Amino acid sequence: MAGALNAALADALEADDRVLVFGEDVGPLGGVFRVTDGLSERFGERRVFDTPLAESGIVGTAIGMAMNGLRPVVEMQFDAFAYPAFEQITSHLAKMRNRTQGKVELPVVIRIPYGGGIGGVEHHCDSSEAYYTHTPGLRVVTPGTPADAYHLLRDAIDSPDPVIFLEPKRRYWAKGEVALDRAGAPMDRAVVRRTGKDVTLIAYGPMVTTALETAEAAIEEGWDVEVVDLRSLSPFDDETVAASVRKTGRAVVVHEASGFCGYGAEVAARLTERCFHHLHAPILRVTGLDIPYPAPKLEEHHLPSVDRILDTMARLQWDDEVCGA
């Protein structure tokens, strides 16, 4: 996935002279996770460059650049490091187009490595998607596969709207076939990663792989699981997700972030409103615990796992009559 993101940035820089990449250590070092490796050498330090350790300044600079015709792609080194820039993001980046009645576009992409699973400590493992999806004016996307990492990032850079691009850092080393072209699902659409008839498992970002692993494990339980990868958290693809839930009659939403007021609550509410008469059981969630991110040795208990998801599926009011219907 890291290589796919690197290729997307390189191709975008090659295709459009207005594209710039900057942030902490993204230049000669190539970023903490080496996503920007070699870009500064290839495109020069006028287009790929390091910044001071000042996230608010990074985003504020990107806003000014975008107002003057450039297309900045900035990196927040870790998820929780983005919080100092939150005021710039929510008060200005998200609102400028509306504030100017559409006269000023801000085509800014903010890349944020997020989530746990790497043995990191607090401030390095947050899943902060709900903060951004709650903010009108922002697009929020997250890839679950290396191929999507390339395609979503290219689409995000081309978007006239500001995009929060959440990169699942535990999947940076995941491998997969990647076509370096512009084909594929639009940026605002979910995709069905695995078809099934008994229950819809809804995931995004780092949990897509976990959901697919769960679907395979569920075969032994006699459950045929459909896996939907949201890809776009805002806007939300009601059509694709609701169609799957209407077909299966059951749904489980999975994410790493804490459950209380988490993103899965919005998903469950939307699907309940649209699919109520098709449901055989309440929509359930499997999430991180409602605690600050734990120490590395305890994160396996905090993060959703295959076993936790299977245990939740078992609570979906299964009975032979309904399953055979």
Side-chain angles (χ1 to χ4, degrees):
M1 182 177 284
L5 292 166
N6 180 277
L9 291 169
D11 289 350
L13 286 160
E14 186 71 43
D16 190 340
D17 289 340
R18 297 173 298 169
V19 175
L20 304 170
V21 175
F22 56 95
E24 298 164 9
D25 295 325
V26 303
L29 180 66
V32 172
F33 298 99
R34 302 300 184 264
V35 172
T36 57
D37 189 38
L39 298 182
S40 178
E41 180 180 2
R42 177 177 172 185
F43 294 98
E45 293 191 12
R46 290 178 61 86
R47 296 189 65 199
V48 182
F49 54 89
D50 291 335
T51 66
L53 306 183
E55 287 79 11
S56 181
I58 293 170
V59 175
T61 300
I63 291 171
M65 287 178 166
M67 291 176 70
N68 287 278
L70 298 175
R71 305 186 80 88
V73 182
V74 304
E75 177 182 304
M76 302 286 103
Q77 201 167 72
F78 285 91
D79 30 59
F81 290 12
Y83 298 154
F86 197 69
E87 194 274 335
Q88 287 283 0
I89 294 170
T90 58
S91 296
H92 304 295
L93 184 65
K95 294 179 173 62
M96 187 65 72
R97 191 171 187 180
N98 182 72
R99 185 182 299 149
T100 62
Q101 297 182 327
K103 294 182 178 65
V104 177
E105 295 180 350
L106 290 184
V108 176
V109 177
I110 301 181
R111 296 179 40 245
I112 304 177
Y114 82 119
I118 63 165
V121 295
E122 63 176 15
H123 300 117
H124 296 74
C125 298
D126 277 16
S127 295
S128 45
E129 58 268 26
Y131 300 142
Y132 302 113
T133 57
H134 188 67
T135 305
L138 299 175
R139 288 181 178 268
V140 183
V141 300
T142 179
T145 67
D148 251 6
Y150 179 86
H151 295 123
L152 281 175
L153 186 51
R154 291 298 308 275
D155 289 346
I157 295 171
D158 286 345
S159 173
D161 300 312
V163 180
I164 305 297
F165 194 90
L166 299 171
E167 300 173 5
K169 66 173 81 77
R170 70 190 295 190
R171 306 300 181 196
Y172 272 144
W173 301 274
K175 298 185 185 233
E177 295 293 326
V178 180
L180 302 181
D181 56 33
R182 302 308 303 275
M187 183 171 65
D188 58 355
R189 302 292 288 184
V191 297
V192 177
R193 296 288 179 200
R194 184 187 191 277
T195 59
K197 62 182 177 60
D198 293 332
V199 55
T200 299
L201 194 52
I202 301 163
Y204 55 86
M207 285 290 104
V208 172
T209 297
T210 306
L212 290 169
E213 292 169 351
T214 302
E216 292 302 312
I219 295 173
E220 294 185 9
E221 305 292 335
W223 302 327
D224 187 10
V225 178
E226 181 150 301
V227 176
V228 176
D229 177 359
L230 294 181
R231 303 172 76 247
S232 174
L233 305 186
S234 181
F236 186 83
D237 182 3
D238 290 294
E239 181 181 356
T240 299
V241 185
S244 175
V245 174
R246 291 188 188 113
K247 179 180 74 170
T248 65
R250 294 179 175 83
V252 175
V253 188
V254 185
H255 60 66
E256 289 190 13
S258 299
F260 186 77
C261 289
Y263 185 79
E266 174 65 21
V267 177
R270 298 178 80 89
L271 292 174
T272 299
E273 292 168 359
R274 290 160 176 78
C275 308
F276 181 78
H277 294 291
H278 298 266
L279 293 174
H280 301 318
I283 296 170
L284 301 179
R285 293 174 290 162
V286 184
T287 72
L289 306 178
D290 292 330
I291 59 172
Y293 200 85
K297 291 183 179 180
L298 298 174
E299 69 175 352
E300 64 178 293
H301 304 290
H302 172 73
L303 298 172
S305 63
V306 170
D307 286 342
R308 282 181 60 194
I309 299 171
L310 289 174
D311 288 345
T312 301
M313 283 185 182
R315 296 165 43 209
L316 287 171
Q317 299 181 14
W318 300 97
D319 62 73
D320 294 337
E321 182 179 351
V322 173
C323 288

